[in-house]
Amino acid sequence: METGFSFDCPQLDYSKMIVTPSDCKGGTGAITGIQGTGTGTLVYTWYDSSNAVVGSAPDLTDVPAGTYKLTLKDDSKCPAAVLNVTIVELNPIVIDNTTTVISSPACNVINGSITNITIKNATSYLWIDTTDNSTIANTKDLLNVNAGTYKLIASNNGGCFRQSTYTIPLGPSAPVMTAYSITNSDCKGTGMFQATFDMKSNSPGYQYSLTTPTGKEVNSGGIFYSPVDSTRIKITDLLPGNYIIRTAGSDGCVTKLLSFTIGINDFKVDTREVVIHTDICGRAVGTITGLKFTGGPPPSVFAPPGTGNFWFDNNGNRVPQGLTYLAGVAAGKYTYYGINANGCKTQTVTFIIPDSVSAASAPVLDDMKICLPANVALSVKNQDKDAYYYLYDDEKNLIDSAKTGYFTRKINETSTYYIGAVNGICISPLGKVVIMVVNPGVSFPNAFTPNNDGINDTWNIIGLDQYPGTEVSVFDRTGSRVYHAINYAQPFNGKLNGVNLPAGTYYYIIDTKKPGCQNGITGNLTLIR
């Protein structure tokens, strides 16, 4: 048993097709009357010569002259049907150069010409000199012109036009210049002109002369075939200005090849990438970096006298650094100009370095609790290596100063201190520290002289009677206890078992047995004989 489906492939019937020409302005051409057949949905697509989609219906309208492709697809698996159609231009302007004659000018005579061009459907003509886009003629033939490149625009009354470009070469008395380049100068005269010529092994040699418009010769030389590379000339060290290059052949014919201008590159400071770092607290750490230069080599640190980098402060005094950047300077206004080795000077630019005078961080210290009056070390935890520290009493009177933020004070009773940091001209908020004395009212020296002169013969501790049961111990350097007492009824006299102890440093423990004073306080005691 045979099963299956029947279907029709897409087909295009163009037997009734009508192609309407477009005018020269475009947009009036059309292709109509094409009919398509196939299976299911029919999809029409029109493409122009660049394969861009320009239509999706059987008819294509309002298009310029050109070749178009129509494809028809349906729901079958057959390939698309394809049809190519060309819309012609109605009465087009045609420029035919088959018979065109181009004649070079004779030596020192302006008689070059472009003639015998075949042109259809044009009513007017315009010739343009491409050197400066000036109009030089309105005739079909171009007569009595120099060598050069010219453009012809042919038009009609309907507003249509066509154009064609022609080059009149120099005569055989001048070389053919195929390329040239111009490099602008700086203030000293570093401009350059280079040209390449089409020379063969059997080409005659030529002489060239570079002059100013007034006829002053700047450079001269020969142009000859070179088997090594393209024949070229290179003229350097040209000042800014206008120049004319001419050549002369062996017949003495002088031909003007080119007029050109050497421009000037202004030597400038480019400040777009400059970075300014502020001074901090008047410490002269400001910087200016990132200067760039355009239009010439940058100034050199080791440049000849009269050249280099020139920085000045707000008072007009020169900053003696001589670099393209400024470092280690105070806040203020600074001006700069540079002079490079060619003697070219930049513009003067001004920069302002601000000062950061925000307050330094307040010193941080830990509050402390001590059992008895004693010498206490106060140490700033967040020390700034560039700061200087001041110590104030509880009424904020200045009582001491130190570079390290470390102070030692004798504390007899609970006390409050303030510490400030000074960094340049910046002053921090004051940090506060409280030292609490658990058992105040006790005082004792850190040395005594048991020499039986009646003065300081014992280690006299005042106020211990307020704290009954206080235990006092003294130890020598070896850790041996040499004195022990409770309530300190008999002061330490520098003797052990009636024998004088040697002079030196001893260590004590005073334990009042009060809460907050566990294990007592310790310190050193000097025995002097």
Side-chain angles (χ1 to χ4, degrees):
M1 180 177 181
E2 183 178 324
T3 63
F5 299 96
S6 63
F7 52 82
D8 295 326
C9 290
Q11 295 184 13
L12 290 169
D13 180 2
Y14 53 90
S15 61
K16 297 180 180 181
M17 178 179 67
I18 299 174
V19 179
T20 303
S22 175
D23 62 21
C24 63
K25 295 180 180 179
T28 60
I31 305 171
T32 59
I34 300 174
Q35 295 181 345
T37 59
T39 300
T41 303
L42 302 181
V43 178
Y44 297 86
T45 306
W46 285 97
Y47 300 89
D48 64 12
S49 58
S50 64
N51 210 36
V53 175
V54 293
S56 58
D59 293 339
L60 180 66
T61 60
D62 301 324
V63 292
T67 298
Y68 298 88
K69 180 175 70 174
L70 171 63
T71 63
L72 174 62
K73 295 181 180 181
D74 64 2
D75 293 337
S76 71
K77 297 182 180 181
C78 297
V82 178
L83 178 65
N84 291 302
V85 184
T86 298
I87 298 176
V88 298
E89 184 178 311
L90 187 65
N91 298 321
I93 295 175
V94 178
I95 299 177
D96 184 357
N97 289 308
T98 304
T99 60
T100 300
V101 177
I102 299 177
S103 300
S104 298
C107 178
N108 298 324
V109 179
I110 303 177
N111 64 351
S113 63
I114 304 171
T115 60
N116 212 33
I117 306 172
T118 301
I119 304 177
K120 296 180 180 180
N121 300 322
T123 56
S124 60
Y125 310 95
L126 200 64
W127 284 97
I128 306 295
D129 185 344
T130 60
T131 303
D132 55 7
N133 289 323
S134 60
T135 301
I136 58 174
N138 57 5
T139 58
K140 180 179 175 183
D141 292 336
L142 181 64
L143 305 173
N144 300 321
V145 292
N146 278 317
T149 300
Y150 302 92
K151 180 169 62 177
L152 170 63
I153 302 176
S155 59
N156 61 25
N157 296 331
C160 302
F161 69 91
R162 287 289 185 273
Q163 64 183 33
S164 184
T165 301
Y166 307 86
T167 297
I168 299 177
L170 292 168
S173 297
V176 177
M177 184 167 59
T178 57
Y180 68 89
S181 64
I182 297 170
T183 303
N184 287 339
S185 171
D186 65 10
C187 67
K188 185 178 181 181
T190 57
M192 182 170 61
F193 172 80
Q194 296 185 87
T196 303
F197 298 88
D198 182 13
M199 301 284 285
K200 304 297 188 291
S201 60
N202 59 350
S203 298
Y206 300 89
Q207 295 296 314
Y208 74 85
S209 175
L210 181 69
T211 67
T212 65
T214 61
K216 180 182 178 181
E217 187 172 80
V218 177
N219 191 276
S220 63
I223 304 173
F224 302 98
Y225 169 74
S226 170
V228 178
D229 57 7
S230 300
T231 300
R232 63 169 60 93
I233 61 173
K234 180 178 180 181
I235 305 171
T236 60
D237 301 328
L238 294 176
L239 290 167
N242 298 319
Y243 296 90
I244 302 171
I245 186 165
R246 296 179 175 90
T247 60
S250 57
D251 57 1
C253 182
V254 177
T255 303
K256 175 184 173 182
L257 289 186
L258 181 69
S259 296
F260 64 91
T261 299
I262 296 289
I264 184 169
N265 293 325
D266 289 338
F267 184 43
K268 291 184 177 181
V269 178
D270 183 352
T271 61
R272 290 175 295 179
E273 297 183 17
V274 165
V275 176
I276 297 177
H277 287 112
T278 61
D279 190 15
I280 300 176
C281 300
R283 299 193 341 249
V285 294
T287 63
I288 302 172
T289 59
L291 268 67
K292 306 293 183 182
F293 299 87
T294 60
S300 172
V301 178
F302 306 104
T307 65
N309 300 285
F310 296 84
W311 290 94
F312 298 90
D313 63 19
N314 195 39
N315 297 319
N317 299 315
R318 185 175 179 186
V319 182
Q321 294 195 8
L323 304 171
T324 56
Y325 61 88
L326 205 57
V329 293
K333 183 171 74 174
Y334 295 88
T335 56
Y336 170 87
Y337 67 81
I339 301 177
N340 65 17
N342 289 340
C344 301
K345 181 180 177 180
T346 70
Q347 81 277 27
T348 298
V349 291
T350 300
F351 306 95
I352 294 178
I353 297 179
D355 197 344
S356 173
V357 292
S358 58
S361 300
V364 176
L365 299 93
D366 290 331
D367 290 337
M368 290 180 283
K369 179 188 290 186
I370 58 176
C371 180
L372 293 171
N375 288 323
V376 174
L378 308 178
S379 181
V380 175
K381 298 175 66 176
N382 58 332
Q383 289 191 26
D384 181 349
K385 63 181 180 62
D386 295 317
Y388 203 86
Y389 293 88
Y390 292 87
L391 181 67
Y392 303 85
D393 63 16
D394 59 348
E395 295 182 352
K396 298 184 179 178
N397 298 310
L398 179 64
I399 57 176
D400 201 356
S401 63
K403 177 71 176 93
T404 60
Y406 182 88
F407 301 91
T408 301
R409 307 300 296 176
K410 177 61 184 288
I411 307 299
N412 294 316
E413 58 186 357
T414 298
S415 303
T416 299
Y417 293 92
Y418 297 92
I419 296 179
V422 177
N423 191 339
I425 61 174
C426 298
I427 301 176
S428 75
L430 297 181
K432 179 181 178 181
V433 59
V434 176
I435 303 98
M436 178 180 179
V437 181
V438 177
N439 298 311
V442 177
S443 63
F444 46 86
N446 57 13
F448 72 108
T449 56
N451 54 10
N452 298 317
D453 62 357
I455 302 174
N456 295 328
D457 285 334
T458 62
W459 186 34
N460 188 22
I461 302 176
I462 299 174
L464 275 186
D465 55 342
Q466 303 176 72
Y467 307 102
T470 296
E471 183 176 357
V472 178
S473 299
V474 178
F475 303 86
D476 63 14
R477 287 179 177 272
T478 66
S480 299
R481 189 164 68 178
V482 297
Y483 174 83
H484 177 258
I486 296 177
N487 291 326
Y488 207 57
Q490 183 65 40
F492 178 44
N493 60 5
K495 295 181 179 181
L496 177 62
N497 299 324
V499 178
N500 289 336
L501 292 168
T505 299
Y506 293 80
Y507 303 92
Y508 62 83
I509 298 176
I510 302 176
D511 186 358
T512 62
K513 307 298 183 179
K514 299 295 182 182
C517 289
Q518 290 83 355
N519 301 321
I521 62 169
T522 63
N524 59 70
L525 172 67
T526 302
L527 191 157
I528 303 172
R529 293 194 181 276

